[in-house]
Amino acid sequence: MQSFLDVNAMRAWLDARATALAERDAVQLLAGLGRILAEDVVSTLNVPPHDNSAMDGYAISLAELGQPLPISQRIPAGVVPKPLAQGTVARIFTGAPIPVGADAVVMQEVCTVGEDGRVAIEGEVKEGQNIRRAGSDIATGAVVVPAGKRLTPADLGLLASIGVAEVSVVRPLRVAVFFTGDELTEPGETLAEGKIYNSNRYWLTPLLLELGCEVTDLGIVPDSLEATREALTDAADFADVIVTCGGVSVGEEDHVKAAVEAVGELHLWKIAIKPGKPFAFGRVGAADFVGLPGNPVSGYVTFHVFVRRFIEQRQGLAEVREPTVIKLKAAFEWSRADSKREEYLRVKRAVENGETVLARFANQNSGVLSSCAWADGLVRLAPGQTVAPGDWVDYLPFE
Amino acid sequence: MQSFLDVNAMRAWLDARATALAERDAVQLLAGLGRILAEDVVSTLNVPPHDNSAMDGYAISLAELGQPLPISQRIPAGVVPKPLAQGTVARIFTGAPIPVGADAVVMQEVCTVGEDGRVAIEGEVKEGQNIRRAGSDIATGAVVVPAGKRLTPADLGLLASIGVAEVSVVRPLRVAVFFTGDELTEPGETLAEGKIYNSNRYWLTPLLLELGCEVTDLGIVPDSLEATREALTDAADFADVIVTCGGVSVGEEDHVKAAVEAVGELHLWKIAIKPGKPFAFGRVGAADFVGLPGNPVSGYVTFHVFVRRFIEQRQGLAEVREPTVIKLKAAFEWSRADSKREEYLRVKRAVENGETVLARFANQNSGVLSSCAWADGLVRLAPGQTVAPGDWVDYLPFE
C-alpha cells in the first residue's frame, strides 16, 4: 500500500490498461442507439441527391426574366420534373428537384400571379438563389459518422438520411458485479440487528446499463475467501470486466483483496480523493478487476472519476473523454478543505437572477447517497481549496 | 396563421396544456430506472440504523482512558456487539455498531497494541469521535425521494439503502409517430429518382425512447387526406401524444393540417426560431397532436426547445425544467444574424488552454443532421445577435 496517489496519475495508469474490444455486431439502425460504431460510415450518395428548392416559389431561368411568364409545370417534392420549357416558370415546392434549365428559385412571397395566370417577379434575382446544390450537405465518399462514436439519435437520423439500414457496432462490454459483506441485506427483506441494506447493487448496475454494458449480477457473496474466489473465477469465465464494491481496504475483514491475489493479480491504492480513497485494479484470467470502495458515496464518486472513463475505453469509444469541466459561480460556502486530497462536492445547478450558479448539498458526509441523488454534478476542489459564495469553481456534470 | 410567435410565448402556451398522466405502475426497484416516481418515498427507518464506527480502530469509554486497556471483544460490521466490559476496549471495524458503554472510536493508526495485548492510545479523544449517529443521514419519516422525480442510479441506490424493493411510478407515456410524404424512402431500400430517405423516424423515435416513452411507429403514411385522417384516428385510439414531422406549413402539398382539422382541432404557428418556424399543436380525440417541421434539423431543434419539455410534463415530471443555460466563451465567429428570429447554433464544447469553450459546426444550414450529430448542445442567440471569438454566449447542452 503506497501513500496517496494523485487522481491524474491514477487516471493515466488506467488509460494505459484500457484495451478496446475488437468484436463487432451488425445491428439494425434503431438498435444502434447508444452503441459504439465499429467502422467509419462513408456516404455512397450525395445529399441532397439533386439540386433542389429551398423554398416554396417559382423556378425560373435568369435569362428570361423581365415580363410576367406563364407556369408550365408544377413540381412538388418527390417528382421528377421535365426540363423548364422556354419562356415559362415552374411552380416548385420546398425540397422539390430543380428542373433542367432553371437557375434560381424565387420565393412565392415576392411573386404575383396575374389573372392571366402569368407570374410577375419583383426585385433582384441572383443565380443559384434558393437552390440547395446536390452533395452540398454530404458528398459521396465523405465520412458521415466516425468509428468509435457512441451513436446518438441525431447520428441515427443522419445515417438514415444516406440510406444506411444496418450498422457495425462494438459488441456490448460484459460486466460482472458482485457484492460482499455478511451485513448486506436485500431491499424488501427484514433488516436484522446489525445489518444494512445493499445499496451498491442498485446504483452500480443501472450506471453500467446506462453506459450500454451487458451486466451480470452475481449477487451477495458471503464474507469468506473461498466464496469470493469462486465468485471471481465464475465471473472471469465470461466477463470482460469484474466490478465490486468494498473489500479492498486494509481492514482485516476484507477477503476480496486476498481472493483476487490468489486467483489473479491485484494493485491497491489510496487515492488522494475525497470521498473515495481505497481503489483496486487487477486481473482475473482475461478479465479486468475493478474494486470500488464499499461506502456508496465513495463508490459512486470513484465510478464517475475513474471507472466510467475506463469502461468507455474498453467499449471502444474513440475520444477518451476528459472530464467536462465548466467554470460556474458557487452560491455556497465551503471552509472544511481537505489538506491532502482532491475533494468532490455534490452540487446542483440553480438559476439565481438569471444566472446559472451552483448550490451544494448541505450534508457532504459520505454516509448516504442522498447527496448523489440530489446532485447533478460535482465540484472539484484542489487539496486545501475553500470556497466563498461568488467564487468560480470547476463543475463536472454527471451527464 | 399569425406572424412570428415568440419562443417563450410558445413555451408558456404549451405549458398550460401539458397535463400529467395520473395512472401508475408498481415496479421492482431496478426497473424504476428512468421512470417518474409517482409518490414521495418516506423512510421507515433510520440510516445508519445504529450508532456505528466511521473507522477501523478501537471503541472506548472516555471515562476509562489513561492506561493501556485489554481488548474484550472484536466487532466486525454486521454483528451485534455485547456491551463494552468495564476496563476494556473493543476492536471495531468501519460500519460496525458501537457497543453500549462506548462513547468514542479511536482510529487504529494512533493506537499501539503492546505485547501484553493491551491497547495504548495517543493524543486527545473527544466524545462521539468517529461515531456516526443513528438517523444522522436519513431519519425515520423523512422524504427520501420526492414524487415527480425521474429516477436516477443514485436514487435507486438511495431507495435500496432504506429497504425499498418496489416503487410506484407513472405509467409510460404512449407516443405514436408517423411520417408523411410520397418522397420518403426507408433506409436500405433503393432510392428512386426524386425521392429521399426518411431520416426523421430515426432521430425522433430514439429521442422519445430515451425520455422513457412507449413509442408506436405507424410508418410512412401516403400523401393523401384520407390516409392521414386514418393514421390520426388510429393513433388517437391508444396514444397520449401523436407526433409527426412535416405537413404543417402553408405549402399546398401538406395534408396533415387538413386531416387534423377534419378529425380534431389544430393550431398552427410560425415561431420566431431558426432553424424551425412552422409548428403545430392540436388534439385528436383524447390525444395531443404535435406537428414538427419536416426539415430534420428544424424538427430536431424544435423538439429540444419545445417538445421535450412538453413530454416531460405529460410524464408527470414535477420540476418543469427550464432550459439549462450556461455562459461559455465562444471560440467562433457568427456574423449572419437573423434579424427577426431567435437562432440556435449547433455547437460543441472544447478545451482551449485549459478552459472550456464552444466550437460551432462550420455548416449551420439546416439541410442535414450533420450539425446535430456533431454537436453536444445549442447556442441561443437573440434576434440580431452576432458573435465574435471570446464573447460569452448562452449554451444549452442537449443533456
Side-chain angles (χ1 to χ4, degrees):
Chain A
M1 212 50 179
Q2 308 95 310
S3 60
F4 281 142
L5 183 72
D6 175 76
V7 169
N8 286 330
M10 184 74 246
R11 208 178 263 134
W13 194 94
L14 287 169
D15 284 352
R17 273 149 194 88
T19 51
L21 290 177
E23 297 102 308
R24 298 160 181 205
D25 289 337
V27 298
Q28 291 296 302
L29 189 55
L30 280 174
L33 183 65
R35 304 286 296 270
I36 313 293
L37 192 63
E39 295 166 27
D40 286 349
V41 178
V42 168
S43 184
T44 57
L45 45 80
N46 278 321
V47 178
H50 304 94
D51 294 359
N52 72 77
S53 179
M55 293 282 175
D56 289 352
Y58 297 90
I60 57 119
S61 162
L62 276 174
E64 294 175 343
L65 269 190
Q67 58 202 20
L69 294 171
I71 301 171
S72 57
Q73 64 176 319
R74 195 166 167 285
I75 316 171
V79 307
V80 183
K82 291 172 296 208
L84 186 64
Q86 263 208 316
T88 72
V89 300
R91 180 76 171 115
I92 196 164
F93 297 94
T94 304
I98 305 291
V100 172
D103 49 15
V105 170
V106 183
M107 61 193 289
Q108 60 195 17
E109 286 80 352
V110 297
C111 299
T112 316
V113 184
E115 286 186 3
D116 58 357
R118 286 173 183 254
V119 179
I121 292 164
E122 292 161 42
E124 198 193 347
V125 182
K126 285 186 215 146
E127 191 179 341
Q129 172 181 305
N130 297 322
I131 294 179
R132 290 192 286 231
R133 293 294 172 195
S136 59
D137 288 320
I138 302 171
T140 303
V143 173
V144 174
V145 183
K149 185 164 192 234
R150 190 184 294 283
L151 294 171
T152 65
D155 289 324
L156 301 186
L158 176 58
L159 291 170
S161 74
I162 56 161
V164 172
E166 195 183 90
V167 280
S168 171
V169 293
V170 181
R171 77 144 166 87
L173 191 72
R174 296 176 193 127
V175 182
V177 299
F178 67 85
F179 306 92
T180 60
D182 286 344
E183 78 279 19
L184 294 182
T185 305
E186 281 301 300
E189 293 172 14
T190 307
L191 198 65
E193 191 64 26
K195 308 284 182 185
I196 59 165
Y197 285 114
N198 179 12
S199 56
N200 286 327
R201 159 185 264 159
Y202 295 88
W203 62 260
L204 179 59
T205 303
L207 276 182
L208 291 164
L209 291 172
E210 283 186 344
L211 284 173
C213 299
E214 203 174 281
V215 183
T216 304
D217 185 341
L218 301 173
I220 297 177
V221 173
D223 258 341
S224 84
L225 182 62
E226 198 38 46
T228 312
R229 282 177 63 147
E230 206 175 295
L232 286 167
T233 48
D234 283 358
D237 275 351
F238 64 87
D240 302 304
V241 181
I242 304 167
V243 184
T244 189
C245 295
V248 293
S249 68
V250 287
E252 295 170 32
E253 296 302 311
D254 294 339
H255 298 290
V256 176
K257 178 176 177 286
V260 179
E261 281 168 345
V263 295
E265 56 165 292
L266 187 70
H267 305 266
L268 282 176
W269 295 270
K270 280 161 78 179
I271 313 289
I273 184 172
K274 183 182 178 185
K277 203 154 68 178
F279 183 71
F281 184 88
R283 306 274 301 174
V284 179
D288 296 320
F289 172 83
V290 175
L292 292 166
N295 173 290
V297 179
S298 299
Y300 188 83
V301 170
T302 306
F303 186 94
H304 280 276
V305 175
F306 299 120
V307 183
R308 191 177 66 167
R309 173 185 168 110
F310 178 78
I311 295 277
E312 288 181 336
Q313 289 178 74
R314 291 285 278 119
Q315 289 181 318
L317 208 70
E319 278 188 59
V320 174
R321 175 152 61 163
E322 293 306 314
T324 299
V325 179
I326 296 172
K327 289 274 182 197
L328 284 177
K329 218 178 257 184
F332 64 84
E333 186 263 343
W334 184 249
S335 54
R336 285 169 287 156
D338 190 284
S339 63
K340 291 196 187 125
R341 293 187 282 169
E342 216 169 77
E343 184 154 14
Y344 288 79
L345 303 178
R346 277 77 69 210
V347 298
K348 185 154 87 170
R349 293 187 301 250
V351 176
E352 230 174 49
N353 305 322
E355 189 184 9
T356 299
V357 296
L358 295 173
R360 83 166 161 82
F361 193 70
N363 180 355
Q364 291 283 331
N365 80 38
S366 60
V368 279
L369 281 164
S370 307
S371 63
C372 300
W374 178 89
D376 61 16
L378 301 167
V379 157
R380 182 179 63 189
L381 300 176
Q385 185 181 348
T386 58
V387 180
D391 283 359
W392 291 91
V393 291
D394 284 351
Y395 167 67
L396 289 74
F398 283 143
E399 300 181 300
Chain B
M1 213 55 177
Q2 308 95 312
S3 59
F4 282 144
L5 182 72
D6 175 77
V7 168
N8 286 330
M10 185 73 247
R11 209 178 261 135
W13 195 94
L14 287 169
D15 283 352
R17 274 150 192 87
T19 51
L21 289 178
E23 297 102 308
R24 298 161 180 202
D25 289 338
V27 298
Q28 291 295 303
L29 189 55
L30 280 175
L33 182 64
R35 304 285 296 268
I36 312 293
L37 192 63
E39 295 167 26
D40 286 350
V41 178
V42 169
S43 183
T44 58
L45 45 79
N46 279 321
V47 178
H50 304 92
D51 294 357
N52 73 77
S53 179
M55 293 283 175
D56 289 352
Y58 297 89
I60 57 116
S61 162
L62 275 174
E64 294 175 342
L65 270 190
Q67 55 201 19
L69 295 171
I71 301 170
S72 58
Q73 64 176 317
R74 194 164 168 290
I75 315 172
V79 309
V80 183
K82 291 171 296 204
L84 185 64
Q86 264 207 315
T88 72
V89 300
R91 181 74 171 116
I92 195 164
F93 298 93
T94 304
I98 305 293
V100 172
D103 49 15
V105 169
V106 183
M107 61 193 290
Q108 60 195 17
E109 285 81 353
V110 297
C111 299
T112 316
V113 184
E115 286 186 3
D116 58 356
R118 285 173 184 252
V119 178
I121 290 164
E122 291 161 39
E124 200 192 347
V125 182
K126 285 187 214 145
E127 191 178 342
Q129 171 180 304
N130 296 324
I131 295 179
R132 290 192 286 233
R133 294 294 172 194
S136 60
D137 289 319
I138 301 171
T140 303
V143 173
V144 174
V145 183
K149 186 165 192 237
R150 190 184 294 282
L151 294 171
T152 64
D155 289 324
L156 301 185
L158 177 59
L159 291 170
S161 74
I162 56 161
V164 172
E166 194 183 272
V167 281
S168 172
V169 293
V170 181
R171 77 143 166 85
L173 191 73
R174 297 177 193 126
V175 182
V177 300
F178 66 87
F179 305 92
T180 59
D182 287 344
E183 77 278 19
L184 294 183
T185 303
E186 282 301 300
E189 292 173 15
T190 308
L191 198 65
E193 191 64 25
K195 308 284 181 185
I196 59 166
Y197 285 114
N198 179 12
S199 57
N200 285 326
R201 160 186 263 158
Y202 295 88
W203 62 260
L204 179 59
T205 303
L207 275 182
L208 291 164
L209 291 172
E210 283 187 343
L211 283 173
C213 298
E214 204 174 280
V215 183
T216 305
D217 185 340
L218 302 173
I220 297 177
V221 173
D223 258 341
S224 83
L225 183 61
E226 199 39 45
T228 313
R229 281 177 64 148
E230 207 174 295
L232 286 167
T233 49
D234 283 358
D237 275 351
F238 64 88
D240 302 305
V241 181
I242 304 167
V243 184
T244 189
C245 295
V248 294
S249 69
V250 287
E252 295 169 33
E253 298 302 310
D254 295 339
H255 297 289
V256 176
K257 177 178 178 283
V260 180
E261 281 167 345
V263 296
E265 56 166 293
L266 188 70
H267 304 267
L268 282 175
W269 294 272
K270 280 161 78 179
I271 314 288
I273 184 172
K274 183 181 178 184
K277 203 154 70 178
F279 183 71
F281 184 87
R283 304 275 301 173
V284 178
D288 296 320
F289 172 83
V290 174
L292 291 165
N295 172 289
V297 179
S298 300
Y300 188 83
V301 170
T302 304
F303 187 94
H304 280 277
V305 175
F306 298 121
V307 183
R308 191 178 65 168
R309 174 185 168 110
F310 179 78
I311 295 277
E312 288 181 336
Q313 288 179 74
R314 292 287 278 120
Q315 290 180 316
L317 207 71
E319 278 187 60
V320 174
R321 176 153 58 163
E322 293 306 314
T324 299
V325 179
I326 297 173
K327 290 274 182 197
L328 284 177
K329 219 177 256 185
F332 63 86
E333 186 263 346
W334 184 250
S335 55
R336 285 169 288 157
D338 190 284
S339 64
K340 292 196 186 124
R341 292 188 282 169
E342 216 169 77
E343 184 153 15
Y344 289 79
L345 303 178
R346 277 76 71 210
V347 298
K348 185 154 87 171
R349 294 186 301 249
V351 175
E352 230 173 48
N353 306 321
E355 190 184 8
T356 300
V357 297
L358 294 173
R360 82 165 162 82
F361 193 70
N363 179 355
Q364 291 282 331
N365 80 37
S366 59
V368 279
L369 281 164
S370 308
S371 62
C372 300
W374 178 88
D376 60 17
L378 302 167
V379 158
R380 182 178 63 189
L381 300 177
Q385 184 182 348
T386 57
V387 180
D391 283 358
W392 292 91
V393 291
D394 284 351
Y395 167 68
L396 290 73
F398 282 143
E399 300 182 303

